[in-house]
């Protein structure tokens, strides 16, 4: 082989190698792009189907706060105000606005344009303004979900009447109200301050948020100390023998166990054996502790391993005991890594539903829990329940609740990244 | 760090002691059928708003699971009310009795229709229960007695020459669902009885094995308990059919249509007058021993049995419940509010 030939051969091979390198890189890039575009599609569909529920349709009514209905005994005491028939007041108001409506069927259709929560809004108004009883007042009340869907364009006006949930007569009334400027879209505050409801226009995530808070609090308070203590013992103190090997293998296995299994365990142990209250954040937190513990232990052990042995040797060398070396030097240095692991574990717990199914947290609960023993749901369960509801308006509520959940997850993961960048030391 | 450790140790101690001290409950605990769930939750919400009692907790566990919890015993840790999309069985009453749940109040609340629906873009189907049976059964009985062959039908045309030449693709609930139980009992069984020798079978187990077996070769797709999802899939695939409750059809009339069964359309009036063949009664059961133990149960029963809830103009009808005839409503209103015991 001449010099010339050899050179050519090398150049050819070089070309091939460069090409291979290019292909390899572009495959990697494609994978990243595919993942990103999936993420983008996910976010786009959720935001597109949910952003409209930041607003909710309200109707302006001039309600006559009839004294004979609200305070029949003459004085406006709280009991009378609570038990008064506000539906009758609203019906009278609508009758005033549409005197031409007379048949029973049509009246029912007219009243159904208002949310069933409207009477409660009138009651709240009266409770706060007792001096206005007997006068005519302007009150904004929530519109029914079908009305809301029409205003937002989900119910189309051009489909045949029998396929539309808003009928032609109702359209006529709605148009009249709109012409009078009585219909307005406002910020959907009830979504954030109400508990669950079967009426989409009244349903809110407060119960789910508070339930999530309590559940995660219980999880954090139990799993962080338990996880860190386990990791420190296994990493720093435990002798290397068959037993610690078995424990280690088991922890790694537990991290991969499906969460529904932990739910079954929770049902058998915490509810049936210990008799803790079903559906409570306490039991939820205990189950989620089991779900997150392996993650926290594994992350904490990795963080402890990353602390160089020279730190331990130096501490021991100047006379510190083993415990002093660990508590004063190793743990503080490993803390950012442990925290990151814990936050990622908590983020997993935040999105957990399957394990909560077995312990009764998948339930219709309106009241906001006041402590960790009262029945509660969590945010992902709320999403699951709404996604299963028949009403059209729950579709956008579901997407909105997903946005809230995603926001929390992003914030938590963001905090984890900041902690890591700010406090983590590299050697 | 040290503070956090101490705090959590204290917390763990508190948890250990609180387990013992948990006693009273001031809200009603309801479990049971996912079909009754939408109705029970609406009543619970109305009740919570219009009385001073707390809103009851409603859990959707399925009829069987709910009755099992319900029959677990008497005491605050057991549910007070169980919703059911079928009548309680004698075996379940027995199980209840064994655990000390002796007195049970039965309330029938109305009816629910099960529809077979497809996309509006496809032609409306006119089916008989025999068509449904032949399309979905695992093994088809032949004309000869005691002979079965694996279901050969690939398209609707194979089942009945009058039906379109479209592949059989039906999305329906899984075996754990009460809707599935009712569908199998009402639609499949009546189609099954068209075969003379099957109808005359004395052996009930064998009869059920033939009539209740749904095919597993992919023509029937178990779509989970989420009916909203089935409706979405039907809208996207105009060849597919779905099986679900009438209330979901009513909410999506612009996208899907309910097939005509045995010449009867699935409409509100046809189900209420029980002309439509696939409809079933819905119930709930109350533990009498709890009526005085948990505050507000009587008021809840009163709310549920009031005309403004379950009457023909009531709010449950807006959610898809088919009301009972007036005489039946009156009967149950009386017996429930008088806390009369169940008699099977």
């Amino acid at each position: 082989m001449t010099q010339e030939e050899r050179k050519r051969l090398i150049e050819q091979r070089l070309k091939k190698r460069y090409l291979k390198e290019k292909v390899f890189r572009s495959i990697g890039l494609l994978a990243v792009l595919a993942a990103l575009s999936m993420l983008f599609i996910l976010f786009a569909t959720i935001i597109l189907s949910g952003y409209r529920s930041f607003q909710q349709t309200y109707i302006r009514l001039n309600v006559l706060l009839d004294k004979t209905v609200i305070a029949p005994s003459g004085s406006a005491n709280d009991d009378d105000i609570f038990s008064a028939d506000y539906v009758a007041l609203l019906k009278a108001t609508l009758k005033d606005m549409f005197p031409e409506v007379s048949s029973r069927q049509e009246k029912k259709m007219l009243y159904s344009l208002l949310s069933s929560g409207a009477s409660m809004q009138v009651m709240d108004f009266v409770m706060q303004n007792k001096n206005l009883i007997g006068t005519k007042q302007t009150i904004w009340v929530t519109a029914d979900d079908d009305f809301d869907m029409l205003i937002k364009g989900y119910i189309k006006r051009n489909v045949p009447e029998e396929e539309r949930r808003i009928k032609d007569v109702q359209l006529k009334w709605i148009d009249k109200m709109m012409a009078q400027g009585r219909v307005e879209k406002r910020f959907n505050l009830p979504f954030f301050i109400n508990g669950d409801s079967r009426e989409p226009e009244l349903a809110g995530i407060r119960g789910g948020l508070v339930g999530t808070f309590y559940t995660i609090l219980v999880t954090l308070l139990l799993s962080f100390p338990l996880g860190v203590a386990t990791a420190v013992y296994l990493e720093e103190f435990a002798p290397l023998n068959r037993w610690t090997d078995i424990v280690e293998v088991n922890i790694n296995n537990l991290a991969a166990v499906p969460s529904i299994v932990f739910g079954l365990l929770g049902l058998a142990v915490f509810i049936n054996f210990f008799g803790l209250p079903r559906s409570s954040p306490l039991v939820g937190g205990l189950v989620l502790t089991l779900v997150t513990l392996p993650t926290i232990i594994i992350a904490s052990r990795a963080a402890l391993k990353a602390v160089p042995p020279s730190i331990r040797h130096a501490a021991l060398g100047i006379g510190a005991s083993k415990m002093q070396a660990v508590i004063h030097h190793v743990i503080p240095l490993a803390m950012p890594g442990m925290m990151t692991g814990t936050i990622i574990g908590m983020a997993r717990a935040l999105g957990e539903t399957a394990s909560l199914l077995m312990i009764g947290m998948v339930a219709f609960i309106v009241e906001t829990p006041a402590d960790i023993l009262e029945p509660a749901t969590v945010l992902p369960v709320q999403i699951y329940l709404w996604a299963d509801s028949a009403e059209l308006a729950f579709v956008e509520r579901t997407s909105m609740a997903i946005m809230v959940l995603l926001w929390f997850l992003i914030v938590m993961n963001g905090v984890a990244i900041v902690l890591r960048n700010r406090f983590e030391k590299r050697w | 760090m040290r503070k956090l450790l101490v705090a959590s140790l204290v917390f763990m101690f508190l948890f250990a002691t609180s387990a013992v001290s948990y006693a009273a409950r001031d809200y009603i605990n309801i479990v049971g059928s996912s079909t009754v769930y939408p109705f029970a939750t609406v009543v619970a919400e109305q009740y919570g708003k219009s009385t001073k009692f707390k809103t009851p907790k409603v859990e959707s566990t399925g009829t069987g699971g709910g009755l099992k919890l319900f029959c677990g015993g008497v005491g605050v840790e057991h549910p007070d009310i169980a919703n059911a999309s079928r009548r309680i069985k004698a075996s379940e009453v027995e199980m209840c009795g064994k655990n000390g749940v002796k007195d049970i109040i039965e309330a029938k609340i109305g009816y629910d229709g099960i529809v077979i629906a497809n996309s509006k873009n496809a032609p409306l189907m006119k089916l008989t229960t025999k068509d449904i049976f032949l399309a979905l059964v695992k093994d088809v009985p032949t004309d000869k007695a005691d002979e079965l062959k694996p279901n050969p039908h690939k398209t609707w045309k194979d089942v009945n020459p009058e039906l379109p030449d479209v592949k059989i693709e039906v999305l329906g609930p899984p075996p754990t669902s009460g809707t599935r139980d009712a569908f199998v009992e009402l639609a499949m069984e009546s189609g099954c009885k068209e075969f003379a020798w099957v109808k005359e079978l004395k052996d009930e187990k064998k009869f059920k094995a033939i009539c209740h077996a749904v095919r597993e070769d992919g023509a029937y797709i178990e779509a989970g308990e989420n009916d909203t999802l089935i409706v979405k899939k039907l809208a996207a695939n105009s060849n597919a059919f779905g099986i679900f409750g009438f209330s979901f059809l009513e909410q999506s009339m612009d996208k899907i249509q309910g097939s005509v069964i045995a010449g009867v359309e699935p409409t509100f009036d046809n189900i209420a007058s029980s002309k439509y063949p696939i409809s079933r009664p819905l119930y709930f059961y109350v533990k009498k021993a709890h009526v005085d133990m948990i505050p507000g149960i009587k008021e809840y029963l009163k709310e549920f049995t009031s005309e403004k809830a379950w009457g023909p103009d009531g709010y449950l009808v807006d959610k898809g419940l088919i009301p009972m005839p007036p005489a039946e409503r009156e009967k149950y209103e009386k017996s429930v509010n008088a806390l009369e015991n169940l008699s099977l």
Side-chain angles (χ1 to χ4, degrees), chain A residues 104 197 278-279 364 391, chain B residues 45 57-59 313 319:
Chain A
R104 220 173 128 278
S197 168
R278 209 176 147 83
S279 317
F364 177 72
E391 289 83 0
Chain B
E45 197 180 334
K57 180 186 102 184
V58 189
E59 228 183 292
D313 290 330
K319 291 285 171 192

Side-chain angles (χ1 to χ4, degrees), chain B residues 63-283:
Chain B
T63 303
L67 283 169
K68 203 173 149 199
L69 284 171
F70 177 79
C71 290
V74 174
V76 282
E77 67 272 32
H78 300 289
D80 314 312
I81 295 175
N83 299 322
S85 56
R86 56 165 169 77
R87 206 160 184 225
I88 192 168
K89 291 178 191 161
S91 60
E92 283 163 341
V93 175
E94 206 174 289
M95 178 172 77
C96 266
K98 253 185 223 153
N99 292 323
V101 185
K102 293 268 183 320
D103 297 326
I104 302 170
I105 305 157
E106 178 182 63
K108 190 171 169 184
I109 59 169
Y111 296 91
D112 177 39
I114 298 172
V115 297
I116 301 180
N118 64 346
S119 160
K120 280 237 139 166
N121 301 330
L124 180 72
M125 289 278 259
K126 292 194 171 84
L127 300 167
T128 63
T129 49
K130 193 178 177 187
D131 296 337
I132 296 171
F133 173 73
L134 287 178
L136 295 179
V137 76
K138 194 173 172 197
D139 296 307
V140 181
T142 57
D143 294 335
K144 247 198 306 183
D146 274 340
E147 200 182 75
L148 295 168
K149 60 173 187 221
N151 195 336
H153 305 121
K154 293 266 181 283
T155 68
W156 289 100
K157 202 174 179 168
D158 294 344
V159 171
N160 181 345
E162 287 167 21
L163 294 174
D165 191 10
V166 175
K167 207 180 128 212
I168 298 174
E169 194 180 347
V170 180
L171 303 158
T176 48
S177 153
T179 312
R180 163 86 165 253
D181 288 345
F183 175 78
V184 165
E185 267 165 37
L186 296 164
M188 303 262 297
E189 223 177 273
S190 100
C192 191
K193 282 182 182 156
E194 302 270 322
F195 292 88
W197 69 268
V198 182
K199 196 181 174 187
E200 273 147 33
L201 269 181
K202 291 279 176 299
D203 186 354
E204 203 179 322
K205 254 192 193 157
K206 200 170 168 194
F207 176 76
K208 276 192 178 163
I210 297 171
C211 297
H212 289 196
V214 174
R215 66 198 291 183
E216 289 158 353
D217 56 357
Y220 182 87
I221 302 151
E222 280 172 14
E225 301 251 18
N226 190 330
D227 293 342
T228 321
L229 200 68
I230 299 185
V231 172
K232 267 191 193 159
K233 281 182 182 163
L234 294 186
N237 177 359
S238 55
N239 285 337
F241 286 77
I243 297 169
F244 42 82
F246 174 71
S247 52
F248 283 86
L249 173 68
E250 213 191 8
Q251 289 278 348
S252 317
M253 291 288 249
D254 55 331
K255 289 189 210 93
I256 50 172
Q257 56 190 356
S259 307
V260 177
I261 310 286
V264 187
E265 272 180 73
T267 61
F268 182 87
D269 296 328
N270 285 340
I271 298 171
S273 62
S274 37
K275 267 187 211 146
Y276 184 74
I278 326 177
S279 73
R280 59 175 161 171
L282 304 175
Y283 299 88

Side-chain angles (χ1 to χ4, degrees), chain A residues 247-258:
Chain A
V247 169
E248 189 169 345
V249 168
N250 270 309
I251 289 171
N252 291 338
N253 268 332
L254 279 181
V257 167

